[in-house]
Amino acid sequence: MKKILTLFVSLMMTCISVFSQEKELKLNPAYSDIKVDKDNKTIEKLLSKDKKVVDKTVKEVLKNLDSYNPSVLYVLSNVYFQENKDEASRIFYIGQLRARIDANICQDISAREAVSLLNEQFGYLINTYTFQNVENLERIVNDAIEYVKKNDVRYDRRWINLHGMKSYVFEEGGKPYTEPEEKWPEIINSTIDSYSKGFLGALESIKNKN
């Protein structure tokens, strides 16, 4: 069974697979059980031209943040920004940290580029706002870190594997390149620790410049 992804052309560089202008990419059949359909459809709704659809979807995702993979949170952060800038920013950093965790769980190095592309596509709006007020930035990011520490996810962490070179048919023959689940808690904790230290270092640098 071959897995077909439909890519949203305008967001192709962010490695988000959703629906718009259709372009078929055949994936390794071993990747067919990675669950992303709900996330892809949610992104499509968040980007809908129908405001009622957007508003309804925003409410659904806000109530169930842990059920959606980071790509949804990245999109939501920009869509929701005008309604609540601080909360949209917190959602962005939650998505960013979880994306880094998922990238570290993924053994396909090429798939990790998805995190950088997501940051590039959706980070400008958020960072331009948050970096205007260092104290508010510190509060928001710390809240995001604590949220990730305290809340388990209910999405398929292997979503990021679909964006790596090993997922294509010419790599057919192996299961998704992912660390064994018994290693996940250690990876999660070490990634959170690294993210926290990196943020504190950047924050200190900003404060010294001011």
Side-chain angles (χ1 to χ4, degrees):
M1 176 180 179
K2 294 185 177 180
K3 186 170 181 71
I4 306 297
L5 287 186
T6 318
L7 298 184
F8 205 50
V9 173
S10 63
L11 293 177
M12 197 169 187
M13 291 303 295
T14 67
C15 293
I16 297 174
S17 51
V18 292
F19 297 92
S20 181
Q21 299 178 20
E22 294 188 354
K23 180 177 181 179
E24 292 187 340
L25 294 178
K26 297 179 181 178
L27 297 188
N28 182 334
Y31 285 60
S32 62
D33 68 334
I34 296 178
K35 300 176 179 64
V36 292
D37 289 346
K38 181 184 73 172
D39 304 279
N40 294 343
K41 290 176 181 177
T42 300
I43 290 174
E44 181 186 17
K45 291 177 182 178
L46 286 172
L47 298 173
S48 172
K49 294 181 180 179
D50 187 331
K51 189 176 185 302
K52 290 183 179 179
V53 172
V54 174
D55 291 345
K56 181 180 179 181
T57 306
V58 166
K59 290 179 181 179
E60 290 175 353
V61 180
L62 287 174
K63 290 180 181 178
N64 301 282
L65 279 183
D66 306 322
S67 297
Y68 298 91
N69 72 42
S71 62
V72 176
L73 302 192
Y74 274 96
V75 176
L76 175 64
S77 71
N78 279 215
V79 172
Y80 189 53
F81 184 74
Q82 294 304 324
E83 295 294 325
N84 190 327
K85 292 180 173 61
D86 282 1
E87 180 61 12
S89 299
R90 188 178 78 101
I91 290 168
F92 172 84
Y93 293 117
I94 290 171
Q96 184 181 69
L97 177 50
R98 284 183 169 169
R100 291 192 183 185
I101 290 170
D102 299 343
N104 289 337
I105 286 173
C106 178
Q107 293 178 321
D108 182 355
I109 303 299
S110 65
R112 297 178 182 179
E113 182 64 19
V115 181
S116 297
L117 294 172
L118 285 164
N119 288 332
E120 180 180 342
Q121 179 72 24
F122 299 103
Y124 180 80
L125 179 66
I126 302 299
N127 291 327
T128 299
Y129 167 71
T130 56
F131 277 78
Q132 292 176 355
N133 185 325
V134 177
E135 291 183 357
N136 196 39
L137 169 64
E138 184 173 13
R139 178 187 63 80
I140 290 171
V141 175
N142 282 331
D143 283 352
I145 292 172
E146 287 304 309
Y147 183 90
V148 173
K149 285 181 179 179
K150 295 176 181 178
N151 293 274
D152 294 329
V153 303
R154 295 187 294 276
Y155 64 83
D156 192 335
R157 286 196 180 274
R158 301 172 302 161
W159 66 275
I160 198 167
N161 289 70
L162 295 173
H163 307 300
M165 297 302 294
K166 294 183 182 297
S167 66
Y168 293 103
V169 289
F170 53 77
E171 289 282 354
E172 186 172 342
K175 294 181 179 180
Y177 291 75
T178 303
E179 294 286 354
E181 286 195 40
E182 58 266 24
K183 291 186 177 182
W184 290 13
E186 179 183 351
I187 294 171
I188 291 169
N189 290 333
S190 64
T191 305
I192 292 174
D193 184 59
S194 176
Y195 184 91
S196 181
K197 289 179 179 177
F199 169 68
L200 290 175
L203 197 65
E204 189 65 28
S205 178
I206 294 172
K207 289 178 178 179
N208 289 336
K209 290 180 180 179
N210 294 337

